[in-house]
């Protein structure tokens, strides 16, 4: 398949290198995905992380699960890795002396929660304890360097994992830039985020990898600087307004770039 994205060719075309796997909080050997559609488990409510809810597996891709909280609508699905610390077998909460909570935005009256819980669990297929894998340890330090390539979850479209580049490193934070998308999806995150993966992860785990967008990626010297990280402790500098700067404001000719055909989106 000559149209398929190939990291090998892309790294050559862009004369760049992958971030070493030791930089990531991911297992060196990716865990297997032993979950099945419809299985139930306990998970922290992403919108209210102190409460533990019942979730149902709505989809599986690579080492990730698409989850929906029981009693919630279908517009708040979220994704977790099979070795995420946010998920656990049914019964864990009770064993710890805690109570299962209705999700934020529970679609019924709060008083119907105990009965809802009983019904949602009765006859349900519960994910076996063996399907939950131990979360890997965080690397001892931030080993990322600007320019290194990686695969990263697009937080605006969290079912997607896409080729990306480290744009900047500041303390424990890294700036993840999505190749070919003019900064629209870029974000700061901690170096030990579970949403970033070494080059080749998707291929090894059989997760789809969205090819780079087809916008020109400006050379570093012509790029506007990334916005400061969210919790920057440095002196309050003027906010960077990327959107105000025209991406066409080029003062020097661009080096020739490999041409990619086909519009994606
Ligand atoms: N087609 C959609 C998704 C783009 C996803 C980009 N990922 C880095 C759009 O253009 O908004």
């Amino acid at each position: 398949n000559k149209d398929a994205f190939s990291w090998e060719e892309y790294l050559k075309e862009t004369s760049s290198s992958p971030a070493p796997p030791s930089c990531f909080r991911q297992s060196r050997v990716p865990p297997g995905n032993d979950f099945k559609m419809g299985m139930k488990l306990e998970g922290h409510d992403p919108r209210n992380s102190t409460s533990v809810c019942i979730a149902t597996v709505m989809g599986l891709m690579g080492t990730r699960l698409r989850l929906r909280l029981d009693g919630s609508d279908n517009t708040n699905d979220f994704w977790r890795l099979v070795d995420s610390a946010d998920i656990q077998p049914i019964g864990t909460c009770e064993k710890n002396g805690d109570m299962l909570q209705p999700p934020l935005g529970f679609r019924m009256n709060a008083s119907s929660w105990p009965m809802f819980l009983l019904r949602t669990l009765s006859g349900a297929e519960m994910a076996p304890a063996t399907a939950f894998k131990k979360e890997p340890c965080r690397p001892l330090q931030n080993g990322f360097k600007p320019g290194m390539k990686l695969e990263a979850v697009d937080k605006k479209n969290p079912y997607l994992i896409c080729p990306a580049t480290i744009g900047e490193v500041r303390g424990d934070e890294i700036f993840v830039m999505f190749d070919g998308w003019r900064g629209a999806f870029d974000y700061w995150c901690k170096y030990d985020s579970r949403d970033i993966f070494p080059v080749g992860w998707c291929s090894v785990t059989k997760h789809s990898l969205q090819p780079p967008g087809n916008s020109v990626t400006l050379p570093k010297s012509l790029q506007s600087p990334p916005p400061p990280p969210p919790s920057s402790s440095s002196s309050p500098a003027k906010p960077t307004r990327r959107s105000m700067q025209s991406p066409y404001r080029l003062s020097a000719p661009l080096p020739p770039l490999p041409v990619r055909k086909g519009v994606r989106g």
Side-chain angles (χ1 to χ4, degrees), residues 93-200:
C93 192
E94 189 175 35
K95 212 161 54 190
N96 297 338
D98 287 335
M99 275 192 355
L100 286 165
Q101 301 295 323
L104 208 79
F106 181 49
R107 44 185 171 68
M108 276 162 268
N109 195 299
S111 64
S112 54
W113 171 245
M115 192 52 79
F116 177 90
L117 187 57
L118 224 62
R119 290 197 166 188
T120 201
L121 288 177
S122 90
E125 184 176 8
M126 294 184 263
T130 50
F132 298 83
K133 310 289 151 98
K134 201 170 113 36
E135 180 161 79
C137 295
R138 58 166 56 81
L140 293 177
Q141 45 180 328
N142 187 352
F144 290 105
K145 298 277 174 286
M148 288 176 168
K149 297 285 184 193
L150 66 158
E151 298 178 1
V153 172
D154 172 352
K155 294 201 197 218
K156 292 185 179 165
N157 306 280
Y159 54 95
L160 293 176
I161 298 184
C162 319
T165 308
I166 301 291
E168 200 177 317
V169 178
R170 267 200 226 175
D172 281 355
E173 306 263 350
I174 56 172
F175 191 62
V176 175
M177 299 171 66
F178 288 92
D179 287 30
W181 293 95
R182 293 185 185 276
F185 301 93
D186 299 355
Y187 56 80
W188 283 97
C189 66
K190 293 264 191 276
Y191 77 93
D192 60 354
S193 164
R194 300 304 319 279
D195 285 339
I196 54 171
F197 307 90
V199 162

